Amino acid sequence: MSAELISAVRGRDAAGAGRLLGAGADPDTREEASGLTALMIAAGQADAPTVRVLIEAGADVLTGDRRAGATALHKACQGGSLEVVRALVEAGAFVDAVAPTTGHTALMDALWYKYPDIARYLLDRGAGLKVYTHYGFSLEQHFEYELNVNTFGKEKLLEAERYLNARRGGDEEAVARQELMAAVAEGDTERVRKLLDGGAEVDERYPNVGGFNDSHTPLLVASRDGHTEIVRLLLAAGADANAVEPTFGAVPLHKAVYNGHADITADLVRQDGIDLDFQGATNGYTPLHDALWHGYEDCARTLVEAGARLDAVGHDGKTPLDLAAEVFGADHALTARIRAAR
């Protein structure tokens, strides 16, 4: 059935692929010769109907191919179908996924294969601009190289360049508008107070410009940087105490305990609806894991007293008890408390 599915996909037979999937064919079937999944093949062939059939059947939009490690989104940017690219992104594909062999992102491939409409879409979706290939080129250098070596289709590259420049200008304007974030980053409590009183958007996300604050809310930054009074002002203004930043998949509690900010930790755990046990996407650690991992006893005690889960397991298989014993010692009072509570 796997061979039949690959044959149907290669033949752009969406209906046939649908029948096979309905009969139990694996939507993540790989073609032996190429190492490509059925979804990658359909995406590279710009076959939107088949891509949608595979996605609806549960095909993995994140996995990489066996030779270059590129994703279906990379293949779609080679194939040139904006419809396919949009379908993959809407299904959860990572816009900035990097091919491990080249270091290319989907945006780099869209530029390389001269599809300005796809480049524009990815730029609008926040694709990163401060990225590098694994052979030493920045995105900007890579694009300049393309401009120099191409004669055919150069007008498409120039169109894409206009979109790149518009995105850069838009990022600069967005940063300039973020007065609240600027005040938070500077630790300017009085300015934060005035801006909030004036109606500043308390949960506005910072633009993705290749920096430490990308996609962070002011509360995430204030919690990370230890601005206790600013954290209190933001919480009083209704800031989302469970806001997740996408880089590490962390919430404000992670930020606070990771850096040992005990007062902020205490303020956050008292918030209505606070998620004490949110597990970060990078390592599966809860805030309690992080507090123990970095040796911040006060933060860890605050979380334990607030009722944080003691049986949560990180991606490394470790529980809070494991980390407590590793960091503080098996006979430490905090370790004993966690052991007894479990």
Side-chain angles (χ1 to χ4, degrees), residues 62-143:
L62 303 176
T63 191
D65 73 64
R66 285 180 177 159
R67 298 184 65 186
T71 67
L73 185 57
H74 288 90
K75 305 305 178 185
C77 291
Q78 297 166 19
S81 168
L82 176 57
E83 185 180 352
V84 169
V85 169
R86 184 181 288 112
L88 291 168
V89 171
E90 290 176 354
F94 291 139
V95 170
D96 284 328
V98 173
T101 48
T102 61
H104 284 200
T105 62
L107 175 59
M108 285 180 169
D109 278 358
L111 295 170
W112 190 14
Y113 287 90
K114 307 185 189 111
Y115 293 116
D117 57 337
I118 293 176
R120 185 179 190 179
Y121 173 78
L122 294 171
L123 289 165
D124 288 344
R125 298 289 301 201
L129 299 183
K130 292 185 179 179
V131 289
Y132 287 80
T133 68
H134 290 169
Y135 45 90
F137 283 9
S138 67
L139 182 146
E140 185 174 341
Q141 291 168 330
H142 191 271
F143 187 71

Side-chain angles (χ1 to χ4, degrees), residues 137-156:
F137 283 9
S138 67
L139 182 146
E140 185 174 341
Q141 291 168 330
H142 191 271
F143 187 71
E144 288 176 357
Y145 181 81
E146 293 165 31
L147 282 171
N148 289 330
V149 299
N150 274 282
T151 54
F152 174 75
K154 197 162 186 174
E155 71 282 356
K156 294 182 178 179

Side-chain angles (χ1 to χ4, degrees), residues 19 23 71 86 152-153 190 210 215 290 313 320:
R19 285 192 294 272
T71 67
R86 184 181 288 112
F152 174 75
E190 288 311 308
S215 290
D290 274 358
V313 180

Side-chain angles (χ1 to χ4, degrees), residues 233-288:
L233 288 172
L234 294 168
L235 290 171
D240 182 0
N242 295 317
V244 182
E245 55 85 3
T247 304
F248 295 99
V251 294
L253 262 177
H254 282 106
K255 301 290 186 179
V257 303
Y258 193 91
N259 293 281
H261 303 313
D263 289 344
I264 293 174
T265 301
D267 287 333
L268 288 169
V269 301
R270 288 194 293 266
Q271 298 303 301
D272 290 339
I274 189 72
D275 186 351
L276 298 174
D277 305 310
F278 187 88
Q279 292 184 273
T282 304
N283 55 15
Y285 276 14
T286 65
L288 180 56

Side-chain angles (χ1 to χ4, degrees), residues 188-228:
D188 189 339
T189 304
E190 288 311 308
R191 179 149 178 75
V192 168
R193 192 190 311 276
K194 289 178 182 176
L195 288 166
L196 290 173
D197 288 345
E201 172 52 56
V202 70
D203 285 324
E204 186 173 20
R205 295 275 179 171
Y206 199 72
N208 293 323
V209 294
F212 203 29
N213 295 339
D214 282 6
S215 290
H216 282 52
T217 64
L219 180 60
L220 282 159
V221 172
S223 299
R224 181 195 69 204
D225 294 350
H227 300 312
T228 305

